[in-house]
Amino acid sequence: MLHPTIDPSAKRDVIATGLPASPGAASGEIVFSSDEAAKLQADGRKVILVRIETLAGRHSRHARRRRHPDHARRHDLACGGGRARGMGKPCVSGCGTIRVDYGRGTMSIGSRTFKTGDVITIDGSLGQVLAGRMPMIEPELSGEFGTLMGWADAVRKTGVRVNADTPDDARTAIKFGAEGIGAVPYRAHVSSKRPASAPCAR
């Protein structure tokens, strides 16, 4: 519920459909390697990592560190989708109609071909891959859901704390009303150059 979504009034150019492995939506430049994704993200650019399949190891370590959205033509949902959900990032998997050519840096669907640097959008809630950059709606506590959460907040007896892997996770949690960080997984300490105490800062 609290994920970015595509503006429902926007026209969708759906190029492929797969499994909705992790909810939310994101737009970015196509990249085919974790190293390139990490490099571009360091420059402040938005990327979508396209893989034939996601595997444990180097790719996964980059994904945990850099938090880029993920689209995979096929992969083990327990590995890729589950990890993306844990990071709060959208993921579409099982897109069997997509053909990826790492050597040429392209992905093809029928007669359409997209290359490194082209912009696509993924909708992890519907399992769709779309051409181009789509307008997004940022999540907020509003409407009936906001009212319900307000009622709950008024009568609750316990505080709300969250698990957080990174400072970004902590900031997002505080934005949505968390009162602090309850736990920081050990893997966040060993996979980041930041001090272990950094994610706990309020």
Side-chain angles (χ1 to χ4, degrees):
M1 182 176 291
L2 297 179
H3 297 282
T5 56
I6 297 173
D7 186 338
S9 65
K11 184 178 180 180
R12 292 178 177 236
D13 182 6
V14 179
I15 57 176
T17 301
L19 299 175
S22 182
S27 297
E29 300 176 48
I30 294 173
V31 294
F32 294 97
S33 75
S34 295
D35 288 338
E36 183 66 14
K39 178 182 176 181
L40 293 181
Q41 280 206 315
D43 293 335
R45 292 158 69 176
K46 303 292 186 181
V47 300
I48 303 291
L49 176 62
V50 177
R51 301 292 298 172
I52 293 176
E53 56 187 282
T54 56
L55 300 171
R58 189 176 186 183
H59 159 67
S60 301
R61 290 196 297 273
H62 272 302
R64 286 198 298 269
R65 227 178 261 139
R66 299 297 181 179
R67 318 298 241 200
H68 39 68
D70 186 24
H71 154 65
R73 187 168 71 85
R74 68 174 190 272
H75 68 56
D76 178 0
L77 282 177
C79 171
R83 183 173 296 112
R85 284 192 298 274
M87 296 187 299
K89 294 298 181 182
C91 177
V92 176
S93 68
C95 296
T97 58
I98 293 179
R99 297 294 177 261
V100 176
D101 187 327
Y102 292 137
R104 295 183 177 181
T106 62
M107 74 173 200
S108 301
I109 309 96
S111 62
R112 304 181 70 174
T113 298
F114 299 82
K115 64 183 184 302
T116 300
D118 287 346
V119 174
I120 59 172
T121 298
I122 60 173
D123 186 334
S125 300
L126 296 179
Q128 294 179 341
V129 183
L130 306 97
R133 189 181 305 278
M134 300 294 292
M136 299 288 174
I137 296 177
E138 292 300 319
E140 58 180 10
L141 294 177
S142 62
E144 294 178 349
F145 179 68
T147 299
L148 176 62
M149 295 305 292
W151 292 342
D153 198 44
V155 299
R156 65 183 172 87
K157 302 298 183 182
T158 60
V160 177
R161 294 177 179 270
V162 299
N163 291 351
D165 282 359
T166 69
D168 284 342
D169 289 346
R171 282 189 287 269
T172 299
I174 298 301
K175 173 184 175 182
F176 287 118
E179 297 175 337
I181 307 304
V184 179
Y186 178 72
R187 66 177 180 273
H189 301 170
V190 299
S191 65
S192 173
K193 294 181 180 180
R194 295 177 179 271
S197 59
C200 298
R202 293 196 179 199

